[in-house]
Amino acid sequence: MNDETGFIAAALRDLLASTAVILAAWGALGGATNALTTKMRLRDAIRHVLLGGIIAAGMGSLSMAVVALWLDLPPEAVAAGGAAGSAAYLVGVFGPAFIEVALARLRGTGGKGDA
């Protein structure tokens, strides 16, 4: 029984230390910032937090390349290890809004919402 508990503890420790989970956490914090600053309903706020985490985890290290291109940073900034959390945070803040605008344009509503 002790070996099983040790295995589960080791698996959880490895999961929490994984880059994707760390990026997802930063992205979720970015989505929460977006939700708090735009004063949206709870349902929409939860959606932004989840989307921020999913987008940041899905983009992985590509998020730093996108942010470096967007902010016109030098190419050396992409390799900066400590900036991955910052890039994931920015992707979490702006990613859900970018997707909503893109989907609204595809639907033909021009970004003005469904109503």
Side-chain angles (χ1 to χ4, degrees):
M1 192 65 142
N2 193 14
D3 290 338
E4 185 177 319
T5 306
F7 171 76
I8 293 172
L12 286 175
R13 186 173 45 251
D14 289 345
L15 178 65
L16 291 175
S18 79
T19 304
V21 172
I22 292 168
L23 292 176
W26 277 110
L29 288 172
T33 301
N34 184 341
L36 289 171
T37 56
T38 56
K39 297 181 183 176
M40 56 184 63
R41 295 183 315 226
L42 180 60
R43 186 181 103 210
D44 295 330
I46 292 171
R47 186 183 75 224
H48 272 254
V49 170
L50 292 175
L51 275 175
I54 291 168
I55 293 167
M59 287 187 71
S61 60
L62 177 64
S63 63
M64 188 57 207
V66 170
V67 169
L69 182 67
W70 174 45
L71 296 177
D72 199 25
L73 298 173
E76 296 82 28
V78 176
S86 302
Y89 178 80
L90 285 174
V91 167
V93 170
F94 296 108
F98 178 79
I99 288 176
E100 286 182 358
V101 169
L103 288 175
R105 288 187 179 172
L106 287 173
R107 291 183 190 128
T109 59
K112 294 181 177 147
D114 294 334

